[in-house]
Amino acid sequence: MKSMMIILLSAMLTDNFVLSKFMGICPFLGVSKKLDSASGMGIAVTFVMICATAVTYPIHHGLLVPNGLEYFDTVVFILVIALFVQLVETALKKTIPSLYKSLGVYLPLITTNCAVLGVTVLNIDNGYSFIQSLVNALGAGLGFMLALVIFSGVRRKLEYADIPETFKGVPATLIAASIVSVSFMGFSGLFN
Amino acid sequence: MTYLIPVIILGVCGLLAAVLLTVAAKVFYVEVDERVEKISSSLPQANCGACGFAGCADYADAIVNNGAPTNLCRPGGADAAGKIAEILGTAAAEVVPMTAVVHCNGNCEATQTAFEFDGVQSCKAVKRFYGGNGLCKYGCIGLGDCAAVCERDAIVIRNGLAVVLPELCGACGQCAEACPNKLISIRPKTSKVDVLCSSGANGKQTKLSCKNGCIGCKICEKKCPVGAITVNDNHASIDYTKCTGCGACADACPAKAIHKN
């Protein structure tokens, strides 16, 4: 149980995918303008991460390893991720059209979100068990959501800040992102 | 066999995914008004945003569901409006063909650069560097930010000056967005008269920096029989809803800043 908590919290905080590993920067910058779309994106990514892990783990260990096809990981994993992104997309379109609209192009872009592929690959690389992998995916997803939600708050403040003309827009956003990232460095050393 | 197994595995995975997605598409099927798709496909698919919506599909949706006007598509013009009206079964709304105009005539003969700019060769970059490298800070910088965004190649840089080719222009307004000096505006294609200066400096300063500049003398204001031309911010501007295209202002302009087409 203790090791599960450590995996969960380290995936969320110390090894935050966005702020420490710098994966998934595109949606991090693209969807963090509003709190509701940020949390919606976080939930969607978490869902895709967990589902993708739940499927890729048995595929890797049951199908690819026995046939000596470990090199095939990336291709099959991307296929699985794309499948779940499509599922989320069609489901969202039906159930929450407003969220579907506000996520826009970033929803299909989860497919190529390296954070998702990163989770599935790292689960294999770290030699996690099935349960551990799921916990890691959950932690990574929650960490992604946490980063997006925190950053949406930062960006709201940024809207009202008096920024020099040259820095307005993307440059100021990137600087703010780096400061948030530095603050997450404070978590390192939390677990041994 | 070594080559066959990966192919089979990937094929089976893909097939399973396809089946799942087909089922999901059936379960989560959202009914879309077929008119939306028809209208969307009859639009030019330039996704330029001139209509004020986020793209052709969004505009089509707004027409059907929110009753948006059918004559907003500038690149499509009367063609698109006619097709939309046909699909909706209503009378075609009138479409005034529009074109973009660059309100500057500061070509290489009329004005010079104040200094050489060695940085990134784009108008935006030059503009940020002491307000631009031209003698006139309001005029065309001539590095073609507008030409770069134009999807129809309707803007060319001629003699250091951006020139719109009305026959190619779709009036989407992206050039107007891109110009850091906001020199480009969209006006009806049929209009005969243009003020080719946007200088905000006073008459003397304008004359010193450019031979073709508007000095803000207000003679055109007095000559205009319909009150369509006004001098604001040291240069004349034309209200195209009133202008009849008589050309009295152009004839009277001492600085030759107003042109008849």
Side-chain angles (χ1 to χ4, degrees), chain A residues 63-64 67 69 71-72 75-76 79 83 86-87 90-91 93-94 101 165-166, chain B residues 5-7 9-10 13-14 17 20-21 24-25 27-30 58 61 128:
Chain A
L63 208 60
L64 298 183
N67 292 311
L69 295 172
Y71 65 90
F72 225 46
V75 182
V76 179
L79 178 76
L83 166 69
Q86 273 299 319
L87 280 178
T90 40
K93 202 172 176 181
K94 173 82 174 179
K101 257 195 162 166
E165 187 64 31
T166 325
Chain B
I5 289 171
V7 174
I9 287 177
L10 200 63
C13 286
L20 251 168
L21 281 180
V27 173
F28 293 109
Y29 179 69
V30 184
D58 201 35
D61 190 54
R128 284 190 172 164

Side-chain angles (χ1 to χ4, degrees), chain A residues 4-25:
Chain A
M4 293 295 171
M5 281 310 283
I6 288 178
I7 290 176
L8 180 72
L9 287 177
S10 62
M12 259 178 84
L13 303 174
T14 47
D15 286 333
N16 188 296
F17 270 75
V18 179
L19 296 169
S20 298
K21 292 197 174 118
F22 305 107
M23 292 182 183
I25 297 293

Side-chain angles (χ1 to χ4, degrees), chain A residues 42-58:
Chain A
I43 293 168
V45 169
T46 311
F47 176 79
V48 172
M49 277 178 173
I50 294 174
C51 292
T53 304
V55 176
T56 51
Y57 187 88

Side-chain angles (χ1 to χ4, degrees), chain B residues 70-85:
Chain B
T70 54
N71 57 350
L72 294 181
C73 183
R74 296 226 187 102
D79 261 14
K83 274 185 208 155
I84 294 169

Side-chain angles (χ1 to χ4, degrees), chain B residues 46 48 75 99-100 102 144-157 162-179 184 186:
Chain B
C48 64
T99 181
V102 182
D145 280 16
C146 48
V149 294
C150 185
E151 282 170 11
R152 299 164 155 242
D153 298 327
I155 298 190
V156 288
I157 305 297
V163 179
V164 177
L165 310 172
E167 58 274 20
L168 291 178
C169 180
C172 66
Q174 290 192 342
C175 48
E177 288 278 312
C179 180
I184 305 175
I186 309 291

